[in-house]
Amino acid sequence: MKDVFRAHQVTDTVWWVGAIDWSLRDFHGYATYRGTTYNAFLVIADKVALIDAVKGPFREELMARIASVIDPKKINVIVSNHAEMDHTGCLPQVIAAVEPDHVYASEAGVEALQAHFHDLDGLEAVGDGATIDLGGRTLRFFETKMVHWPDSMLSYMPEEKLLFSQDAFGMHLATGERFADEVPRDVLGSEAAKYFANILMPLIGPISRAIGKVQEAGIELDIIAPDHGPIWRRSEDIDFIVGRYVEWCAQNPTLKAVVVYDTMWGSTDQLAHAIGEGLKAGGAVPKLMPLKGSHRSDIATELLDAGALLVGTPTLNGNMLPTVADALTYIHGLKPKHLVAAAFGSYGWAPAGVKQVQGTLDAMKLNVVGDGLKVRFVPDDDDLKTAYALGTAVAEKVKAACGGA
């Protein structure tokens, strides 16, 4: 396979030896329309280090890329920055094949890897700020707990001003290009936003602290090499992605109002459209996302820079519709902040669905407007006017949150 799968040079001493997953379409509930990469890196100095591994089924691709530049047996050190299985699924087999002198992870990483693989011996914990000398190249470790697992850490190579950032600054994007400057900026922006929204949004506090930690350390960055997606190597691209992370962590609201809903016989759909008209008239920017054609992860992405979330459902068997429950459970887990919110929907016997949505929005600690708009069966003109008024009321709240824009 080494004649087919080849390494890609990043610097004089660093090679990309990862794998491309062109067919991945779901990452634990997140729709990955463009597939992904599992990035791993080889550092060839006096000692040879492998930074991270790949998902289990791609082990042979990883080993072939390594073998295209060096005998895998010459690897002295393996570093696991993050224990999640898309980076460690083949790690036991790689260790057995390579027989390195050292396998390093954070203290929590050692625990996680042992819990994953149970009989994986010889792991060594490295603390925050620890360094290892590869002979001509150095790796310095930064613990970044909950970016995005408790075990997560970053590895920095000062001689190359290169940060191996594990899941931070990455994206799910399968591509033959290895560098961000080879990918259209609009693709980078949309996929990085989707990744942040669906993977990292609940962890804004730890991410902000990690960015501050790296900045306080005074490290210089010429290259950011994440574990998914392209490598950032131009200063303008590094400024772009770091700036976006700072912006997303701030969660500053905008005038966008996301309206998520499903409908049985069209009544909740009518309410959603009337609310949308009210939002627009009130100065907000409505984004209607009917669940018959909107994936939960695309909704999460829209919420990343939104100012409002409105959720509509009919009642089915004393509950909100399953599609609405699915989307709302997913969104709840992502912990979006600073959103104005409202519930609405049609019902026949009892408005239990709207009450459940209202309860979830309250539990999310959002700025909820009203106690839920409930319309029995088909809305009449007065009901649609009420829905329109709900839209304008939410718009006013959103504008106030945006500083009266």
Side-chain angles (χ1 to χ4, degrees):
M1 295 181 74
K2 68 180 179 181
D3 293 328
V4 175
F5 295 104
R6 305 191 65 81
H8 193 110
Q9 193 161 14
V10 179
T11 73
D12 289 343
T13 59
V14 178
W15 297 75
W16 176 86
V17 291
I20 306 173
D21 190 344
W22 296 97
S23 57
L24 183 75
R25 289 297 177 270
D26 181 89
F27 189 85
H28 46 61
Y30 160 4
T32 50
Y33 306 120
R34 289 186 166 113
T36 195
T37 56
Y38 311 113
N39 296 339
F41 301 94
L42 197 65
V43 181
I44 302 178
D46 292 345
K47 296 180 181 179
V48 180
L50 175 64
I51 313 296
D52 291 317
V54 299
K55 193 175 179 180
F58 295 87
R59 175 179 58 85
E60 290 187 9
E61 184 172 339
L62 167 73
M63 297 302 289
R65 293 192 195 277
I66 294 171
S68 73
V69 290
I70 196 169
D71 179 354
K73 286 283 189 179
K74 292 185 177 180
I75 293 174
N76 307 101
V77 171
I78 295 178
V79 174
S80 175
N81 282 322
H82 179 28
E84 195 168 6
M85 296 288 272
D86 50 336
H87 312 298
T88 62
C90 67
L91 186 59
Q93 293 80 14
V94 172
I95 292 172
V98 169
E99 298 180 326
D101 300 322
H102 304 280
V103 180
Y104 296 115
S106 68
E107 184 174 342
V110 169
E111 294 177 3
L113 290 170
Q114 289 172 336
H116 274 107
F117 302 112
H118 305 299
D119 58 354
L120 194 60
D121 298 322
L123 302 175
E124 301 177 49
V126 289
D128 186 37
T131 62
I132 59 172
D133 184 1
L134 300 176
R137 292 294 183 270
T138 308
L139 290 175
R140 178 182 177 188
F141 304 111
F142 292 88
E143 277 195 358
T144 53
K145 292 180 182 293
M146 298 314 300
V147 185
H148 73 119
W149 276 20
D151 65 277
S152 297
M153 70 178 186
L154 311 178
S155 299
Y156 178 65
M157 186 184 299
E159 295 85 359
E160 304 278 8
K161 300 178 183 177
L162 191 158
L163 183 69
F164 298 105
S165 63
Q166 47 101 8
D167 278 351
F169 308 118
M171 67 188 71
H172 285 310
L173 175 63
T175 173
E177 288 72 39
R178 298 278 63 81
F179 299 102
D181 50 277
E182 299 171 333
V183 179
R185 178 58 66 88
D186 62 329
V187 174
L188 294 173
S190 63
E191 292 301 333
K194 188 172 185 179
Y195 187 88
F196 189 99
N198 286 274
I199 301 292
L200 300 176
M201 193 192 299
L203 309 167
I204 282 171
I207 292 168
S208 296
R209 289 191 291 274
I211 292 173
K213 186 176 187 176
V214 171
Q215 290 173 333
E216 287 170 10
I219 70 171
E220 298 179 79
L221 292 176
D222 283 351
I223 300 173
I224 298 177
D227 273 355
H228 294 293
I231 299 160
W232 309 88
R233 64 176 176 180
R234 295 193 312 180
S235 59
E236 56 264 44
D237 292 325
I238 291 173
D239 290 344
F240 166 76
I241 191 60
V242 174
R244 295 299 294 272
Y245 266 57
V246 171
E247 174 188 329
W248 293 330
C249 284
Q251 288 272 276
N252 293 321
T254 70
L255 294 175
K256 185 200 295 184
V258 179
V259 185
V260 179
Y261 65 97
D262 207 346
T263 193
M264 290 171 63
W265 297 107
S267 294
T268 302
D269 180 79
Q270 289 186 50
L271 295 173
H273 281 77
I275 288 169
E277 292 298 310
L279 287 165
K280 183 177 179 181
V285 180
K287 176 76 176 183
L288 271 64
M289 302 192 75
L291 284 165
K292 286 182 173 60
S294 303
H295 194 272
R296 66 176 85 86
S297 57
D298 295 319
I299 294 166
T301 306
E302 292 293 344
L303 288 173
L304 185 58
D305 64 349
L309 168 65
L310 299 94
V311 181
T313 184
T315 295
L316 175 67
N317 299 327
N319 289 286
M320 65 179 98
L321 276 188
T323 51
V324 178
D326 172 272
L328 200 51
T329 298
Y330 187 81
I331 293 166
H332 189 180
L334 293 174
K335 299 181 175 64
K337 304 183 187 307
H338 310 312
L339 293 174
V340 179
F344 66 95
S346 172
Y347 69 98
W349 307 334
V354 176
K355 290 180 179 178
Q356 288 180 352
V357 170
Q358 182 84 2
T360 303
L361 296 176
D362 285 333
M364 293 169 66
K365 299 181 181 179
L366 303 181
N367 182 10
V368 182
V369 176
D371 59 357
L373 171 59
K374 312 169 191 74
V375 173
R376 190 164 186 261
F377 290 122
V378 179
D380 59 19
D381 285 346
D382 287 339
D383 294 324
L384 294 177
K385 289 177 182 176
T386 302
Y388 181 94
L390 175 61
T392 59
V394 169
E396 288 301 316
K397 291 276 190 181
V398 171
K399 287 194 298 183
C402 292

